[in-house]
Amino acid sequence: MTQAITPLRQRMIDDMRMRKLAPKTQSAYLMHVRRLAAFLHRPPDTATSEDLRRFQLHMVEQGFTSTTLNVTITGLKFFFEVTVHHPELMARMHPVPVPRKLPQVLSRDEAARLIASACSPKYRAALSVAYGAGLRASEVIGLKVTDVDSGRMVLRVEQGKGHKDRYAMLSPVLLDCLRAWWRTARAEGKILHGGWLFPGQNPIDPLSTRQLNRAIHAAADLARIDKRVSMHILRHSFATHLLEQKVDIRVIQTLLGHKRLDTTALYAQVATDLLREVISPLDTLQPA
């Protein structure tokens, strides 16, 4: 038996739909409000600013990460500012600093082994796109056959992160890989005309990020890669290896679709080939 949606919950859902928030964002915001209600043991719109302060302290004591704390605050901010029109209640909730960690990257050899170890031509092509064009997992599965522009040698990424369209690079090797996958899939009836480049079991639906993550973990095990592997490590490796090839960082920023340059600049700290080229001042000293 399904539980009826309360008028308050429905109003928040309507508020989020009006603003065209992504489905994942909507689910996350609702979860954060439910968490507050469970803490209060009463409806969330009855919270006071002191209740919200206590709730944040409770989350800290429970060991929630800084990222989780901040996204919870963002969700509650929407609820109190937009849905119940009491923005002043958020005055005692404060975002916390998020430790900035260096991204994990693969060596070129590890990237080659990982892609070669994919369990099927479809997953091999999908991993090649993530590494060869620097796409996020959601952007890989969102590609359609018509997004491959061999004339201009680009991939069209529609509504990537931040609801922005952009073009990603399409190298000759990646194009050959995609063409080989397309020929195989078309012959087996797995790709519809103008359909998803990486369809799920039903060609009408795209591959899911969960399926893609399972595939890359299986490939990492087969390739005996000890690093913590995810789809995003291929994007990190793409950016780092381009930087090591002396590609201008602003070009890499554009290819990744980063809004801020300092986000892209983080890869300079993991581009070990660049570090090896720098001569230490110690090496320039003359013997005493």
Side-chain angles (χ1 to χ4, degrees):
M1 182 176 178
T2 57
Q3 190 174 2
I5 298 177
T6 66
L8 181 63
R9 178 184 173 91
Q10 186 60 58
R11 183 177 180 83
M12 184 176 179
I13 292 172
D14 292 342
D15 287 337
M16 292 188 292
R17 289 176 57 205
M18 284 170 60
R19 288 156 181 79
K20 294 189 175 181
L21 298 189
K24 284 186 177 180
T25 302
Q26 294 186 36
S27 297
Y29 282 11
L30 290 170
M31 178 187 68
H32 301 321
V33 175
R34 282 199 306 272
R35 186 177 288 153
L36 172 64
F39 171 77
L40 296 173
H41 300 292
R42 63 179 195 269
D45 59 335
T46 64
T48 65
S49 61
E50 179 61 23
D51 287 331
L52 292 175
R53 179 183 177 276
R54 289 191 302 107
F55 178 57
Q56 181 168 353
L57 182 60
H58 165 75
M59 292 185 68
V60 171
E61 292 172 342
Q62 291 296 309
F64 285 91
T65 66
S66 298
T67 300
T68 301
L69 280 166
N70 288 341
V71 296
T72 299
I73 290 172
T74 302
L76 294 180
K77 188 171 186 285
F78 181 94
F79 175 73
F80 285 105
E81 288 187 358
V82 177
T83 301
V84 298
H85 305 295
H86 284 296
E88 73 282 356
L89 295 178
M90 293 296 297
R92 303 185 74 176
M93 291 197 85
H94 304 286
V96 296
V98 178
R100 195 163 193 182
K101 298 180 180 180
L102 292 179
Q104 183 84 275
V105 298
L106 300 172
S107 68
R108 287 173 174 79
D109 175 67
E110 287 171 332
R113 283 162 40 210
L114 180 68
I115 293 170
S117 299
C119 62
S120 71
K122 175 169 68 175
Y123 288 114
R124 198 150 46 245
L127 299 190
S128 295
V129 169
Y131 174 66
L135 268 59
R136 302 174 178 90
S138 59
E139 294 169 344
V140 172
I141 64 174
L143 288 174
K144 294 185 177 179
V145 174
T146 51
D147 292 327
V148 182
D149 188 341
S150 58
R152 300 176 61 198
M153 293 302 288
V154 294
L155 294 172
R156 178 178 171 83
V157 180
E158 289 192 359
Q159 296 299 287
K161 188 174 181 180
H163 303 288
K164 295 178 181 178
D165 293 348
R166 76 175 193 280
Y167 286 106
M169 65 184 294
L170 175 62
S171 71
V173 171
L174 180 55
L175 178 59
D176 288 344
C177 176
L178 293 179
R179 280 175 169 166
W181 157 240
W182 182 84
R183 285 193 294 267
T184 300
R186 284 287 287 176
E188 297 175 357
K190 294 179 179 178
I191 288 184
L192 302 177
H193 180 72
W196 303 107
L197 184 58
F198 300 113
Q201 290 185 341
N202 187 333
I204 296 176
D205 301 317
L207 194 66
S208 70
T209 53
R210 179 176 295 181
Q211 291 170 308
L212 205 50
N213 283 323
R214 281 202 298 261
I216 194 171
H217 289 144
D221 289 342
L222 190 60
R224 296 185 178 181
I225 295 174
D226 296 330
K227 294 174 181 175
R228 186 176 180 180
V229 171
S230 67
M231 285 300 297
H232 221 66
I233 200 173
L234 292 174
R235 178 173 162 88
H236 291 324
S237 302
F238 163 84
T240 303
H241 295 166
L242 283 184
L243 198 58
E244 292 176 341
Q245 292 167 205
K246 308 294 179 57
V247 175
D248 187 278
I249 196 167
R250 293 190 181 277
V251 174
I252 300 173
Q253 177 190 7
T254 299
L255 292 173
L256 292 173
H258 282 165
K259 184 177 180 180
R260 298 173 55 182
L261 183 61
D262 61 350
T263 305
T264 315
L266 185 65
Y267 294 110
Q269 299 180 47
V270 291
T272 54
D273 283 2
L274 295 182
L275 296 179
R276 284 194 291 269
E277 291 181 10
V278 178
I279 299 174
S280 167
L282 178 64
D283 296 347
T284 66
L285 297 179
Q286 297 297 322

